[in-house]
Every structure is written in structure tokens, then in C-alpha cells.
Amino acid sequence: MPLVVQKYGGTSVGDASRIRNVARRVAERKRSGDRVVVIVSAMGRTTDDLIRLSREVSDQHHPRELDMLLTAGERISMALLAMAIRDEGVEAMSLTGSQAGILTDTSHGQAKIRDIKAFRVEEGLEAGKVVIVAGFQGVSPDTHEITTLGRGGSDATAVAMAAALHADVCEIYTDVDGVFTADPRIVPGARKIDEITFEEMLEYASAGARVLMGRSVEFGMRFNVPIHVRSSFHDEPGTWVKEATMEQPIVSGVAHDTSTAKVTVRGVPDTPGVAASLFTPLAVEGVMVDMIVQNVSSEGATDISFTVPLELLDVARPIAEATARAIGAAGLDVDDQVGRVSIVGSGMRAHPGVAATMFSVLADAGINIAMISTSPIRVSCVIAASQVDEAVRRLHDAFITAEQVVAP
Ligand code: ASP
Ligand code: MG
């Protein structure tokens, strides 16, 4: 009997009628003969509301208690969904992350899944039940504390659980039809991508596409679990994320991200060790640095620029300031009005002109590029935040709509 792991996001379980709608779909799938495990997110904006509430109660940071609080969101959805599925005449049972054997490291708020001991899930399946598991949470076997996996973490729960159970597919149900060639709110002509490789999806997610949490794609890739991203509102197929695809377009999609800030340390002495003295303390504080550009000028001093997620700027800025002082740099500039546009596609490997074409498209639109970074299948540019939408439209026109025009 095929085994499917389905994940329903916050919008899909946003109110009682939507929960009943999900219950009908799950029951139908079960009756068709599949074994079904369901991972749920918290209803609607519950997680945001709980975070807000915690801030109203206390302005201190309480990582352990925050995890206790936030995991309640998924616990509400799992119990309600189990009730609704049973009303459909199908046996169902809900489990918290810890009951489902999701074992994590000890870190609160950003825990990583270390192992899954899914025997209670397997028992439930064996007994013919639909098993519902609360997403986004686990337990540390070292501290016995409840942990959360970071925002959007239910995706990771779903793909990891699918891997642990050797499921045939992991279906991620969401409020959009799949993964798009660009954000349809910016590019009305953006189209759904039928198939995309794990590798491309990973780059796409890290470039700002929010439909799938990056870490879940890593699990999919590592354990080769095909992921089907699809709408919870209809039955049309969505986007398959898998190891290889039939087509290898040069550019699969255009991603963007406006929650980026750029930091420049000016006039850094050009001596061994300065980069290490800047980026080591940032890494220790968990600041994910994305692009790094260093330029040696004729006077033997360098400027080092890098980007950080906007929400980590308050952590990064004082570290950069302190380091700049310590190493005798000339000064520090911070720009939070920047964004990133990226093009992603496996076919880029075989086509050298792609980056050049991207730069020409931006130049023709009068858009200045502040920083560039590349991987073998991605090119990203940092530009003014106010020009991101225009850049996305132009790049989509050039690479997707006009079918892969590439400079010779
Ligand atoms: N409820 C959590 C969040 O909003 C986890 C998730 O939705 O995947 O981040
Ligand atoms: Mg969510």
C-alpha cells in the first residue's frame, strides 16, 4: 500500500471549515487505499499571534518557554483535524512532535532534526489509522526539552518524516498552486513550474522563494524523497521537486528577496586575518552572511561588503562596528534599502552567457548593481529595494517569457 505524507500549512487549516475541507481530502485519500500521515502547521497566523502575546507579557528572551508556547499552535490544529477526520468515518490519531519521535538537538527556536524514531506513527498506520503529527516541533533526547525547528519548520517535519517512513511521496499543501517562475503578485504572467530539481529548489528557496523551507528541500535531496507542492483548494497537480527533470531550462525562475541589508566596512587594512576577525564573531552569533565582496584599492586598504538578513541587522551591526574599531577600519556603512534578485536554472552550467545577459537586462532598465554573487546554477544581484519589482519583471520577460535569450 502506497504511503503518503501530507503537510497542510497555516492557511489550509485556517478555520473550522477549512479544517473540515482538509479532513475530507485526507479521508478520501485514505479510502482510495493509501496509508496517510498528515503534518499540520498552526492555524492561520497563530504562531505570529503567540509571539506577539509573549512580547506583551515580557520583554526578556525566554527561549525554552517560547518553544513551549509556540508548539501549542500546532497542537491545536492536530487535535481538531483528528476530530474532523474521525467525523468522516476514518480512524485518526494525533501525536505531538515528541510523541512522534522527532528527536532534535538542544537549541531552542532553531533546532535541527537529528533522528526520527517513528514507532508510534508506524503503530498507528499498522492499526489502519491516519496519523496526524504536529509540525515544527520535536524533543531533545539530551535535555528532554521541547524544541521548535524555526519559522516554516513544518515543511522540514514533513519531508524528514517522509524520509524516515520511506514514504512514496511528500505532498506539501499550500495556498498557491505550486512553485512559480516568479512571484505572480509582481509578474502576472508568471507560470507554474511542473518539475524542478532539488538543487534548483534549494537555490530558489535561499534566493527568497518562500513556498518551501530550504531545510526541507535538503532532506528531500539527501534522502531522495520526491516532494509535490500543491494547492489545498483543488486537485490540479502542482510542482514536483525531484532528483532529475526531463527538461533543463537555462533559467527556471526569477526569485527576489527584499528582507536583506548590506553592510560595508570601509578602509580595512589589507593584512592577513581581517576577514576572519570580522566574520568569526558574526558566525558565533548565528548571523547568516550571504554575499561577501572585498576590493583592494591602490592605497593598500580594502572595503568589505556583505549582506545579512534584515531581521539579523540589529545583531550584525554592533559586531561589525566593534570589529571595525578594533582593526582600525575607516568606517561603516549600513544600507537597509536593498534587495536581491536572482535567476536560477540547472541549464546555466552549459550556457556561459547567462550572467552577462542578466547584467544587460538590468542595465537597460537603468538598474545599478551593488553586489553580485553566483553559484553554478544561480546568479544574484543586490540592487535598490525600490527597483526589485521592476528587475523581476524585466528578468522574467527576458529569460522566461522570451524563452531563454542568452548572449553569445
Ligand atoms: N507555525 C510555524 C510558523 O508559522 C511553522 C510552520 O508554519 O511551518 O512558522
Ligand atoms: Mg506557517
Side-chain angles (χ1 to χ4, degrees):
M1 248 189 285
L3 172 60
V4 51
V5 173
Q6 301 189 325
K7 179 254 170 178
Y8 291 91
T11 316
S12 307
V13 293
D15 58 32
S17 83
R18 286 185 174 180
I19 289 176
R20 283 199 302 268
N21 177 48
V22 168
R24 270 191 299 275
R25 302 180 71 107
V26 172
E28 216 172 278
R29 187 63 165 264
K30 174 78 176 106
R31 281 196 210 98
S32 80
D34 288 357
R35 292 173 297 155
V36 186
V37 174
V38 182
I39 313 295
V40 280
S41 291
M43 294 171 67
R45 306 223 154 273
T46 303
T47 308
D48 293 324
D49 293 343
L50 291 173
I51 291 174
R52 198 170 322 112
L53 193 56
S54 76
R55 293 206 181 114
E56 279 168 28
V57 168
S58 164
D59 52 16
Q60 303 293 308
H61 194 45
H62 309 278
R64 176 188 188 275
E65 302 309 325
L66 191 61
D67 276 357
M68 293 300 268
L69 179 70
L70 296 187
T71 49
E74 271 68 15
R75 199 161 167 154
I76 293 171
S77 343
M78 74 180 198
L80 293 173
L81 182 59
M83 296 175 196
I85 293 174
R86 297 178 61 166
D87 274 13
E88 294 290 324
V90 168
E91 266 316 305
M93 158 177 90
S94 66
L95 296 172
T96 64
S98 105
Q99 288 176 315
I102 298 178
L103 306 182
T104 71
D105 63 13
T106 57
S107 99
H108 284 291
Q110 276 296 339
K112 302 231 166 3
I113 298 177
R114 289 270 173 265
D115 196 7
I116 299 191
K117 301 243 180 279
F119 56 89
R120 288 204 66 188
V121 178
E122 280 158 357
E123 272 169 25
L125 290 172
E126 210 89 321
K129 293 178 183 168
V130 168
V131 181
I132 301 149
V133 177
F136 169 65
Q137 55 180 273
V139 63
S140 158
D142 298 332
T143 57
H144 305 289
E145 297 289 11
I146 300 295
T147 54
T148 61
L149 309 179
R151 297 309 304 269
S154 301
D155 289 350
T157 307
V159 184
M161 184 58 82
L165 296 171
H166 305 288
D168 295 279
V169 57
C170 180
E171 297 180 337
I172 305 280
Y173 285 91
T174 173
D175 52 353
V176 292
D177 290 348
V179 181
F180 278 74
T181 51
D183 186 336
R185 283 167 300 191
I186 297 177
V187 184
R191 56 177 176 73
K192 192 192 76 201
I193 299 170
D194 294 331
E195 293 185 348
I196 189 168
T197 63
F198 288 123
E199 196 189 15
E200 285 173 309
M201 194 61 227
L202 209 51
E203 293 279 6
Y204 213 39
S206 75
R210 295 199 191 283
V211 39
L212 257 188
M213 189 211 205
R215 201 130 47 84
S216 68
V217 186
E218 276 170 39
F219 278 118
M221 180 144 103
R222 188 135 47 96
F223 299 102
N224 198 10
V225 181
I227 303 173
H228 188 186
V229 182
R230 56 193 306 195
S231 167
S232 62
F233 302 124
H234 58 71
D235 286 326
E236 297 303 312
T239 301
W240 282 89
V241 189
K242 46 194 229 181
E243 195 158 75
T245 57
M246 291 298 283
E247 274 183 76
Q248 287 223 328
I250 299 173
V251 173
S252 302
V254 181
H256 73 282
D257 177 12
T258 45
S259 52
T260 294
K262 175 178 169 229
V263 179
T264 302
V265 187
R266 277 185 289 108
V268 176
D270 186 21
T271 51
V274 290
S277 65
L278 177 59
F279 293 109
T280 306
L282 287 169
V284 168
E285 289 305 317
V287 177
M288 281 158 310
V289 174
D290 183 47
M291 298 187 192
I292 302 175
V293 173
Q294 168 175 312
N295 262 321
V296 184
S297 74
S298 48
E299 294 91 50
T302 82
D303 286 352
I304 299 181
S305 296
F306 57 95
T307 58
V308 294
L310 200 51
E311 78 262 19
L312 294 177
L313 182 57
D314 288 344
V315 183
R317 190 199 299 253
I319 297 174
E321 272 163 3
T323 313
R325 265 195 308 277
I327 60 180
L332 187 81
D333 298 327
V334 172
D335 187 352
D336 58 7
Q337 298 299 308
V338 295
R340 217 161 29 124
V341 284
S342 307
I343 54 175
V344 173
S346 317
M348 265 184 216
R349 278 207 180 85
H351 291 84
V354 180
T357 303
M358 178 179 191
F359 305 149
S360 307
V361 170
L362 295 178
D364 290 346
I367 295 171
N368 188 49
I369 302 170
M371 293 168 91
I372 298 165
S373 82
T374 65
S375 86
I377 63 163
R378 173 183 52 80
V379 186
S380 303
C381 297
V382 171
I383 61 174
S386 60
Q387 294 181 309
V388 164
D389 287 10
E390 178 67 11
V392 172
R393 278 192 287 269
R394 297 276 190 139
L395 292 169
H396 193 273
D397 277 354
F399 285 106
I400 313 269
T401 316
E403 289 192 23
Q404 330 284 333
V405 186
V406 174

